[in-house]
Amino acid sequence: MGLALEVGILADLKTADEEGYDHIREQLSLVNQLLAANQLPAHNEPEEIPVFSCGMFGYSGLHYLRRIAAHLLVNDAVPEPCVDQPTEDPAMFDCYDEIATMQDARSDEWKRFDHLLCHSDAEGYYLPQEFDEVLFDLDDLGVAGFQVGSSVKLLQECTTLAAALGMPTDLDPEDPIFYEAATNQGTGAGWQRYGMECYSCIRLISAARHSIEHGAAIVFT
């Protein structure tokens, strides 16, 4: 078990899971209430598009990539690959302390990875429209994951991280090279030393591209 990404979830559930389809439609209605509260356009989820789905590397894989973002914010440098417990890195503590204590007082430079960092690692949504600030369900509408991000911003952030790692972004996320690198974390050469980070990054990039192209939400499940 672990985190999975899906784009085109209503298209997927429409004929396969009536209860799941109704649940997601209700969730997206709540998301639209959150958008309206932030003076943003409603999201209209398509139901007739090709479905993109992929698994992440358990639930921990995402945190390896977030650690890279944290180091770029805190130390302005890419660290050595992490081989265990990325959430225990001091840069992660410093980064999230800054987010928690400073919030909107942070500079734009400090907010440049917010859509990756300020989102649930287990559930929730990214929408195919551009907005700078991550949306928080402060009125307790019941939006899964509490935070809603922008697929456009997520793509920008992950592309920046890919460049920092030297990872090509034109490869198929299911290319065996990514799984091999992830299972040999910290070894090899170049970007493949950052196997867990790149495994997560290429999947987020692919999901965000599909989201933007087809006007559908990325759903974390």
Side-chain angles (χ1 to χ4, degrees):
M1 295 294 291
L3 175 63
L5 313 179
E6 185 161 10
V7 182
I9 193 165
L10 287 186
D12 184 23
L13 296 176
K14 189 174 182 180
T15 58
D17 182 351
E18 182 178 350
E19 184 176 343
Y21 172 84
D22 289 341
H23 171 71
I24 294 298
R25 280 182 58 87
E26 291 171 4
Q27 273 289 302
L28 292 174
S29 176
L30 298 177
V31 168
N32 277 334
Q33 291 181 46
L34 181 59
L35 288 168
N38 286 274
Q39 294 78 53
L40 291 168
H43 170 66
N44 297 305
E45 181 71 11
E47 300 188 14
E48 300 291 340
I49 65 165
V51 176
F52 171 91
S53 64
C54 67
M56 298 290 272
F57 210 100
Y59 286 106
S60 65
L62 182 64
H63 295 292
Y64 283 81
L65 185 61
R66 287 177 170 175
R67 173 179 170 268
I68 301 298
H71 270 270
L72 289 174
L73 292 173
V74 174
N75 300 319
D76 196 28
V78 175
E80 287 295 302
C82 175
V83 295
D84 190 36
Q85 299 296 325
T87 56
E88 298 301 314
D89 190 303
M92 289 282 271
F93 291 117
D94 290 346
C95 177
Y96 280 104
D97 281 348
E98 181 77 8
I99 290 171
T101 58
M102 298 301 290
Q103 292 287 344
D104 293 339
R106 292 173 298 137
S107 67
D108 290 342
E109 182 75 2
W110 251 97
K111 294 179 181 180
R112 68 187 191 273
F113 297 116
D114 269 14
H115 289 259
L116 174 66
L117 294 168
C118 301
H119 193 277
S120 169
D121 61 1
E123 60 181 349
Y125 307 93
Y126 285 94
L127 304 178
Q129 58 175 276
E130 186 168 0
F131 45 88
D132 290 333
E133 304 288 340
V134 176
L135 308 181
F136 290 79
D137 183 14
L138 298 176
D139 293 328
D140 292 325
L141 298 169
V143 175
F146 187 72
Q147 296 126 320
V148 174
S150 161
S151 301
V152 178
K153 290 295 187 181
L154 181 66
L155 178 58
Q156 293 172 1
E157 294 174 13
C158 288
T159 301
T160 297
L161 292 171
L165 294 168
M167 184 196 82
T169 61
D170 58 349
L171 297 179
D172 186 330
E174 299 302 333
D175 189 315
I177 195 171
F178 288 105
Y179 183 77
E180 182 178 348
T183 54
N184 292 281
Q185 175 74 359
T187 66
W191 66 267
Q192 293 179 54
R193 295 176 65 220
Y194 296 89
M196 294 287 280
E197 295 87 346
C198 290
Y199 188 97
S200 298
C201 192
I202 194 65
R203 280 161 169 68
L204 290 172
I205 286 173
S206 299
R209 286 172 173 166
H210 199 80
S211 170
I212 295 163
E213 179 182 357
H214 295 284
I218 302 172
V219 183
F220 276 23
T221 62

